[in-house]
């Protein structure tokens, strides 16, 4: 019991000796830094539950010696706890009237609290300094309502533990499965306040957390949790997914990622965190009562995938540069760039998915003693020989990029390479025939758009659907592997192409004897061959 009372429930502890432990995501267990003992995530949950039980028993004894009151808002349902004699006025969240009652149930209070470090005057000074850097209307609105800034201990749910996720990315039908670990995630459990705004004022210095005592709330207000157990489950799932999403995005090499938490073993514990709140119509501002970090929402949204145009823009510029280098013609370069830009921006614009998120304005707070935890990279898992194994996933390794560049160069420069081979010994004296490189542009007019179409329609999607996998061995080394789901994938693709051609061939033969068929045959067969041969002949001096 003494080990339980002395433990810090926010940190991993060894069930055997009580020393700090750390989580090994590859092994899926916690290892003690002192005695080396291994423990499962479920054992950590059991330890925290025992600590909570001891703390709740202490609070039940303490509440009989405390004089306080609970106020409920008739309008929004917010519940505020204050010590006896504290002024309350109207509801700070909606302006509604408050109804008073005694509080006698200690179970309504969390077991942990982080005390205020900033005074109200310091918080107002911080917010004033931040507001003066904003645009006119926002600045005026904040400064006008500054007297309404109020300090609250807000209800949060502390979350730490393991999770299994299903991950998908834009422009791919494949589903990925990974294991992850989250720690020190604080989730707001008040329905009147924005989760995203409160997330933006983190982190808190967890080293300053204390076992809750009613003495800490003297002179302050306590916002009680007012969401149901079912709503709490949903909010925890949503917030954990959102908190872990940026880490997964790094691995997936894109912002266009959807993440779904399938299973979890999470330590959860309610606690109170110090926050100054200023809430008015179309405006919600939070100031971290410990670090001074500021976050504000003015009911504006932005697309997290709003920079989708960078890829088609860079593609257009690169292809225009290649055309100018070989064609030496601004007119040809302009026409090629225009054609590529039209195709690329339409293709990428239709293919992109919009991910709207609230636009949050913020200011970082002072550095805390808690430097945070090292980022736990997700471990992806694939079935290999019938068993789920840890793997490293990569989409654009160096060898794949080099291979793609070589193939695309061969497609675009093949007339030049053939012309160079044919030019050797072409003169009567045995010297090479001088080439007229500018005529390569005849082929590039067709090959560059064709290259781009192949990249968008096939290569790019194939890269996302068929990433490179390396098995993570017990010693940490990597071994290239092919998951069970990808075995035979090329045969399936070939079968699909064969089926498509089988359906297309009879139709094409029938069309050959019609006007549309002749045009189809000319554009797809005759014209490319003529442009290919003409480019070679003219480069050789024709």
């Amino acid at each position: 019991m003494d080990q339980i009372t002395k433990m810090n429930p926010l940190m991993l502890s060894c069930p055997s000796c009580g020393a700090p432990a750390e989580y090994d995501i590859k092994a899926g267990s916690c290892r003690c830094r002192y005695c080396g003992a291994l423990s499962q995530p479920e054992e950590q949950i059991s330890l925290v539950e025992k600590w909570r039980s001891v703390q709740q028993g202490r609070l039940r004894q303490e509440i009989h010696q405390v004089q306080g009151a609970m106020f409920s808002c008739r309008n929004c349902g917010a519940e505020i706890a204050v010590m006896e004699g504290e002024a309350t006025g109207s509801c700070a969240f909606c302006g509604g009237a408050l109804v008073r009652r005694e509080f006698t149930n200690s179970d309504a209070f969390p077991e942990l609290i982080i005390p205020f470090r900033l005074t109200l005057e310091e918080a107002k000074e911080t917010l004033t300094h931040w507001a003066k850097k904003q645009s006119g209307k926002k600045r005026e609105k904040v400064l006008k309502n500054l007297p309404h800034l109020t300090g609250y201990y807000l209800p949060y749910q502390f979350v730490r533990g393991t999770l299994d996720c299903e991950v998908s990315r834009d422009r791919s039908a494949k589903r990925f499965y990974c294991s992850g670990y989250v720690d020190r995630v604080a989730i707001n459990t008040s329905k009147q306040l924005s989760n995203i705004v409160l997330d933006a004022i983190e982190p808190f210095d967890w080293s300053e957390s204390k076992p809750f005592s009613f003495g800490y709330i003297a002179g302050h207000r306590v916002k009680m949790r007012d969401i149901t157990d079912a709503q709490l489950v949903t909010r925890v799932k949503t917030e954990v997914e959102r908190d872990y999403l940026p880490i997964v995005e790094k691995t997936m090499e894109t912002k266009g990622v959807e993440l779904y938490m399938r299973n979890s073993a999470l330590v959860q514990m309610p606690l109170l965190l110090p926050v100054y709140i200023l809430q008015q119509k179309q405006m919600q501002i939070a100031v971290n009562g410990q670090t001074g970090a500021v976050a504000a929402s003015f009911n504006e949204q932005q697309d997290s995938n709003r920079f989708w145009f960078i890829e088609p823009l860079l593609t257009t510029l690169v292809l225009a540069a290649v055309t100018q280098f070989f064609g030496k013609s601004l007119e040809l370069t302009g026409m090629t760039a225009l054609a590529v830009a039209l195709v690329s921006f339409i293709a990428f614009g239709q293919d992109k998915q919009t991910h709207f998120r609230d636009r949050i304005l913020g200011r970082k707070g002072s550095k805390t003693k808690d430097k945070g935890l090292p980022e736990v990279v997700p471990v992806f898992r694939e079935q290999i020989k019938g068993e789920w194994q840890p793997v490293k996933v990569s989409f654009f390794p160096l060898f794949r990029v080099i291979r793609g560049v070589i193939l695309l160069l061969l497609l675009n420069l093949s007339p030049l390479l053939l012309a160079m081979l044919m030019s050797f010994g072409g003169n009567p004296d045995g010297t090479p025939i001088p080439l007229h490189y500018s005529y390569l542009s005849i082929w590039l007019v067709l090959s560059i758009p064709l290259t781009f179409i192949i990249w968008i329609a096939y290569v790019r999607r194939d890269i996302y659907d068929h990433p490179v996998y390396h098995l993570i061995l017990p010693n940490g080394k990597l071994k290239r592997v092919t998951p069970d789901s990808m075995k035979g994938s090329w045969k399936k693709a070939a079968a699909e192409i064969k089926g498509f051609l089988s359906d297309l061939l009879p139709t094409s033969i029938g069309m050959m004897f019609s006007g549309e068929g002749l045009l189809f045959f000319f554009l797809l067969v005759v014209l490319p061959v003529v442009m290919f041969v003409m480019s070679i002949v003219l480069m050789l001096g024709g």
Side-chain angles (χ1 to χ4, degrees):
M1 182 62 68
D2 186 57
Q3 177 180 323
I4 295 296
T5 56
K6 290 182 178 180
M7 69 173 283
N8 185 339
L10 302 184
M11 309 297 177
L12 288 173
S13 301
C14 176
S16 301
C17 68
E22 55 188 16
Y23 184 72
D24 184 345
I25 190 170
K26 295 178 183 178
S29 59
C30 303
R31 182 182 300 275
C32 179
R33 300 175 186 173
Y34 179 73
C35 69
L38 296 177
S39 60
Q40 298 303 312
E42 292 76 13
E43 294 180 72
Q44 295 294 323
I45 296 175
S46 177
L47 278 177
V48 172
E49 290 302 319
K50 290 178 181 178
W51 184 91
R52 292 187 61 191
S53 178
V54 173
Q55 175 67 1
Q56 288 169 357
R58 188 184 63 79
L59 289 178
R60 291 190 190 100
Q61 297 177 354
E62 184 179 343
I63 196 170
H64 297 297
Q65 306 171 8
V66 174
Q67 292 184 338
M70 190 80 71
F71 289 85
S72 301
C73 177
R74 293 178 177 178
N75 188 28
C76 69
E79 287 194 327
I80 312 297
V82 298
M83 300 302 289
E84 193 66 47
E86 298 283 347
T88 54
S90 60
C91 177
F93 306 100
C94 71
L98 297 175
V99 179
R100 184 185 186 281
R101 63 182 174 84
E102 300 293 331
F103 65 78
T104 57
N105 181 16
S106 64
D107 292 341
F109 291 89
E111 295 91 29
L112 278 174
I113 188 172
I114 292 182
F116 274 94
R117 187 191 296 169
L118 268 66
T119 65
L120 179 58
E121 291 305 315
E122 290 173 332
K124 287 182 177 180
E125 182 180 345
T126 297
L127 186 54
T128 300
H129 180 71
W130 175 86
K132 289 180 179 179
K133 297 181 180 180
Q134 308 307 311
S135 60
K137 291 184 178 180
K138 292 185 177 69
R139 178 175 62 250
E140 292 174 6
K141 191 170 185 178
V142 174
L143 295 178
K144 178 181 177 181
N145 292 281
L146 190 62
H148 298 292
L149 185 69
T150 307
Y152 279 90
Y153 279 113
L154 295 184
Y156 278 79
Q157 193 82 349
F158 173 87
V159 176
R160 179 190 70 228
T162 62
L163 60 155
D164 295 324
C165 302
E166 179 179 316
V167 181
S168 63
R169 59 177 294 165
D170 292 353
R171 311 180 185 98
S172 176
K174 182 173 175 56
R175 295 294 180 267
F176 300 86
Y177 303 94
C178 71
S179 299
Y181 183 79
V182 293
D183 201 352
R184 305 180 190 179
V185 178
I187 300 171
N188 159 46
T189 57
S190 174
K191 64 184 179 182
Q192 292 84 7
L193 299 170
S194 167
N195 299 329
I196 301 177
V197 172
L198 294 179
D199 286 347
I201 63 171
E202 297 179 23
F204 288 87
D205 186 349
W206 299 105
S207 66
E208 294 186 3
S209 62
K210 309 290 184 183
F212 177 78
S213 176
F214 290 97
Y216 285 114
I217 66 175
H220 296 283
R221 303 179 183 185
V222 178
K223 174 77 170 58
M224 308 304 293
R225 170 188 149 185
D226 51 17
I227 61 174
T228 65
D229 290 342
Q231 290 172 328
L232 176 61
V233 171
T234 301
R235 184 166 289 189
V236 167
K237 180 179 181 298
T238 302
E239 288 292 301
V240 168
E241 289 174 347
R242 180 184 298 156
D243 189 82
Y244 204 60
L245 181 61
I247 302 174
V248 175
E249 286 175 341
K250 289 183 180 180
T251 302
M252 301 300 289
E253 301 175 10
T254 180
K255 291 286 186 180
V257 170
E258 295 288 343
L259 184 146
Y260 172 74
M261 187 171 70
R262 304 170 70 198
N263 300 296
S264 63
L266 300 174
V267 171
Q268 298 190 45
M269 184 168 49
L271 75 163
L272 295 175
L273 298 180
V275 180
Y276 289 97
I277 296 294
L278 176 56
Q279 183 157 313
Q280 299 292 326
K281 186 178 181 181
Q282 303 295 317
M283 179 182 73
Q284 187 173 114
I285 297 178
V287 180
N288 188 315
Q290 186 189 41
T291 67
V294 177
S297 172
F298 292 89
N299 201 29
E300 300 171 339
Q301 286 193 325
Q302 63 185 15
D303 183 4
S304 63
N305 206 16
R306 61 192 180 280
F307 298 114
W308 64 272
F309 62 86
I310 292 179
E311 191 170 358
L313 178 61
L314 290 176
T315 303
T316 302
L317 293 176
V318 169
L319 293 181
V322 172
T323 305
Q324 178 62 27
F325 179 79
F326 288 103
K328 308 296 184 182
S329 170
L330 290 176
E331 292 81 2
L332 177 62
T333 300
M335 289 188 294
T336 302
L338 179 60
V340 171
L342 287 173
V343 175
S344 61
F345 277 89
I346 291 174
F348 282 97
Q350 291 178 341
D351 207 20
K352 90 177 187 75
Q353 296 183 18
T354 301
H355 303 274
F356 279 112
R357 297 173 184 172
D358 290 340
R359 182 167 182 257
I360 304 298
L361 302 176
R363 168 190 175 275
K364 294 183 179 180
S366 60
K367 293 183 178 180
T368 66
K369 295 179 182 179
D370 184 4
K371 300 299 181 181
L373 297 173
E375 186 176 280
V376 179
V377 178
V379 173
F380 284 77
R381 301 186 185 275
E382 286 285 338
Q383 278 195 321
I384 301 173
K385 297 181 180 180
E387 296 184 4
W388 288 96
Q389 301 283 353
V391 295
K392 179 183 178 182
V393 183
S394 55
F395 296 92
F396 294 97
L398 183 59
F399 79 89
R400 206 174 202 181
V401 173
I402 294 175
R403 183 179 63 186
V405 170
I406 291 174
L407 291 175
L408 293 179
L409 287 175
L410 285 176
L411 173 63
N412 288 277
L413 302 181
S414 52
L416 175 62
L417 297 177
L418 288 175
M420 292 176 66
L421 290 175
M422 296 171 66
S423 70
F424 286 114
N427 288 322
D429 59 357
T431 59
I433 299 174
L435 298 179
H436 302 279
Y437 295 103
S438 61
Y439 288 109
L440 178 63
S441 60
I442 296 175
W443 171 246
L444 292 178
V445 169
L446 177 65
S447 67
I448 288 178
L450 180 62
T451 298
F452 188 68
I453 292 172
I454 292 174
W455 168 255
I456 292 180
Y458 177 72
V459 177
R460 197 168 183 271
R461 291 180 182 274
D462 182 69
I463 287 174
Y464 295 150
D465 289 338
H466 300 89
V468 176
Y469 291 96
H470 287 87
L471 178 65
I472 303 176
L473 301 174
N475 59 6
K477 294 184 177 181
L478 302 177
K479 177 183 178 182
R480 178 76 181 273
V481 293
T482 301
D484 297 348
S485 61
M486 287 182 59
K487 290 182 178 178
S489 58
W490 301 111
K491 293 182 179 179
K492 293 178 183 178
E496 292 177 0
I497 295 173
K498 182 179 178 181
F500 172 74
L501 294 177
S502 300
D503 295 336
L504 180 64
L505 187 59
T507 305
S508 301
I509 294 175
M511 290 177 61
M512 284 293 293
F513 299 98
S514 66
E516 293 180 358
L518 291 174
L519 179 61
F520 180 81
F521 180 76
F522 176 78
L523 292 175
L524 295 185
V525 179
V526 177
L527 183 61
V529 172
V530 169
M531 295 178 71
F532 188 86
V533 173
M534 184 182 297
S535 179
I536 295 175
V537 172
L538 292 176
M539 278 192 290
L540 291 170

